[in-house]
């Protein structure tokens, strides 16, 4: 007798979303004017469960960003890895992230996926007065880092974490001990993220049920528009922007690159984790693309931490979408703040499933948008997470090939050989080795 097949998190979230929508619409149509449903179901049980889940996401923002950033910055401790190579890598990752965000925001503004009429009484929100540019610049540097953490001022936390991590990397053996401690903390916070994401199906169920009770079926038509817009921008980034940059900076064939990156993209899609895909990415870069180990072992792990273009695209579209749903007009300065904040936040976005929503909460807070708007998109986020992870690892590989070529650490013959590396390790063997690691 075969063992009962366990449902994955994606299936559970989709089931929770569907069940919530069905329950909400059923109660809405069967008991349209029931005070009991409104007080004890909508504003009672569903509100409590949904709010707890949203609060659990917000709870992780500060520790996740601070610890991840300290770990990422302090890892640049080897002087030989700093300088030109480190500068090129970080600059390229931040450059592509800024491109991704700009395209995402422009697409969302032009397509307008959000419908302001959907913001009924259940989604009322009062916009806070935005600070002036001078205040923003002055407030970037924290006068009290602990206060910045308690208030959730993310730009100040990012600046302090980068400075703190840089200091750790420059005090020798003592810094190594501190870095090891933060790496252990990072493992712990990643485990907490995993635990929180196990609650996602129940949170999604409650949030979707409440939304369908209060807003009706028309809400989800707008969410479908959001979903396909994000997918379209992800494909533009993966199939247009990256190949263009590869051709422009290295002169290599984009078609050959896309052929050789397919296995990495497939594994990234199936795991929704840049970190889990990392062994496969390194293997492909070295044996199938001709990148020297000295380059691949530096740029790819760094990319799994710094380069989150797919996540940035989701954040850009989602921010505009949520603003449109709530009927909030964003200024040019707000859009610029989203680009800068989300680009910096990509440094602290860990390569594991579900972290993108936590980082989105940070971006929404920074421009004065309601974090509760995440409820509108969380039901489709897991599928988007899988697609954007494939885009993330593609960006990592493009950067690695370009940098290796510029540093003279690249074997073009291996890259142009369509059979190179296939005999060394099949995709199935790569997957098995990656899972073991």
């Amino acid at each position: 007798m075969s063992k009962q097949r366990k449902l994955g998190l994606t299936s559970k979230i989709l089931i929770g979303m569907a069940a919530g929508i069905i329950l909400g619409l059923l109660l809405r149509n069967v008991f349209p004017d029931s005070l009991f449903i409104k007080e004890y179901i909508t504003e009672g049980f569903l509100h409590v469960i949904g709010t707890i889940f949203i609060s659990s996401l917000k709870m992780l923002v500060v520790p996740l960003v601070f610890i991840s950033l300290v770990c990422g910055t302090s890892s640049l401790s080897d002087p030989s890895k700093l300088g030109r190579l480190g500068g090129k890598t970080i600059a390229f990752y931040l450059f592509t992230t800024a491109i991704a965000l700009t395209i995402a925001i422009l697409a969302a503004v032009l397509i307008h996926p959000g419908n302001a009429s959907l913001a009924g009484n259940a989604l009322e929100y009062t916009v806070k007065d935005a600070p002036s540019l001078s205040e923003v610049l002055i407030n970037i540097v924290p006068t009290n880092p602990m206060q910045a953490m308690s208030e959730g001022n993310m730009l100040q936390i990012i600046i302090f974490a980068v400075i703190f991590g840089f200091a750790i990397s420059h005090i020798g053996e003592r810094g190594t001990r501190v870095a090891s401690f933060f790496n252990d903390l990072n493992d712990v916070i990643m485990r907490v993220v995993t635990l929180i994401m196990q609650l996602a199906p129940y949170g999604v169920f409650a949030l979707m049920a409440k939304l369908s009770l209060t807003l009706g079926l028309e809400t989800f038509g707008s969410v479908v528009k959001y979903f396909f817009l994000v997918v379209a921008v992800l494909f533009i980034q993966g199939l247009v922007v990256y190949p263009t940059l590869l051709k422009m900076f290295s002169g290599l064939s984009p078609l050959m690159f896309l052929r050789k990156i397919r296995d990495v993209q497939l594994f990234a899609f199936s795991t929704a984790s840049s970190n889990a895909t990392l062994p496969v990415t390194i293997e492909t870069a070295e044996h199938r693309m001709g990148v020297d180990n000295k380059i691949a072992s530096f740029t790819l792990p760094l990319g799994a931490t710094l380069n989150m273009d797919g996540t940035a695209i989701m954040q850009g579209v989602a921010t505009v979408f949520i603003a449109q749903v709530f009927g909030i007009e964003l200024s040019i300065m707000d859009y610029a703040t989203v680009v800068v904040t989300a680009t910096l936040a990509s440094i602290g976005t860990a390569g594991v499933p579900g972290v993108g929503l936590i980082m989105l909460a940070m971006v929404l807070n920074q421009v004065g948008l309601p974090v509760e708007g995440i409820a509108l998109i969380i039901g489709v986020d897991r599928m988007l997470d899988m697609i954007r992870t494939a885009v993330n690892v593609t960006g990592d590989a493009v950067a690695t090939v370009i940098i290796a070529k510029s540093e003279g650490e690249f074997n073009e013959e291996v890259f142009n050989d369509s059979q190179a590396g296939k005999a060394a390790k099949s995709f199935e063997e790569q997957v098995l080795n990656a899972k073991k690691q």
Side-chain angles (χ1 to χ4, degrees), residues 6-183:
K6 291 185 177 180
L7 290 174
L9 183 59
T10 301
S11 300
K12 292 178 180 178
I13 288 179
L14 291 175
I15 291 172
M17 178 181 67
I21 293 172
I22 293 171
L23 176 64
L25 293 176
L26 183 64
L27 293 177
R28 177 187 177 92
N29 288 283
V30 175
F31 307 102
D33 301 314
S34 173
L35 291 178
F36 176 84
I37 296 297
K38 181 178 180 180
E39 293 182 8
Y40 293 98
I41 303 298
T42 307
E43 301 300 331
F45 175 75
L46 296 176
H47 175 72
V48 170
I49 299 299
T51 302
I52 288 175
F53 180 63
I54 292 293
S55 298
S56 67
L57 291 176
K58 296 169 67 175
M59 172 186 70
L60 296 177
V61 172
V62 171
L64 179 66
V65 170
F66 180 71
I67 294 171
S68 296
L69 268 172
V70 170
C71 290
T73 310
S74 63
S75 67
L76 302 175
S77 56
D78 187 350
S80 65
K81 290 184 178 180
L82 296 173
R84 187 174 68 243
L85 180 58
K88 282 183 180 180
T89 306
I90 295 173
F92 188 87
Y93 285 149
L94 296 182
F95 173 65
T96 58
T97 301
I99 291 176
L101 274 164
T102 302
I103 295 174
I105 290 174
L106 286 175
V109 170
L110 293 174
I111 303 299
H112 205 285
N115 186 351
S117 65
L118 298 177
N121 294 332
L123 292 179
E124 285 185 354
Y125 184 76
T126 302
V127 184
K128 299 178 181 178
D129 293 333
S132 64
L133 177 59
S134 60
E135 289 177 320
V136 171
L137 294 176
I138 292 172
N139 291 331
I140 285 178
V141 180
T143 56
N144 185 340
M146 297 301 106
Q147 181 181 357
M149 292 181 186
S150 66
E151 294 177 352
N153 191 320
M154 298 314 301
L155 282 178
Q156 293 187 357
I157 294 171
I158 289 172
I159 294 298
F160 177 68
V162 170
I163 296 172
F164 193 78
F166 182 81
I168 289 175
S169 68
H170 285 77
I171 59 172
E173 184 179 347
R174 291 169 296 175
T176 302
R177 293 197 298 268
V178 176
S180 177
F181 171 71
F182 271 92
N183 286 326

Side-chain angles (χ1 to χ4, degrees), residues 280-293:
V280 182
T281 314
I282 293 176
E283 181 72 25
T284 301
E286 292 182 14
H287 295 282
R288 301 209 61 198
M289 296 185 182
V291 177
D292 190 273
N293 176 263

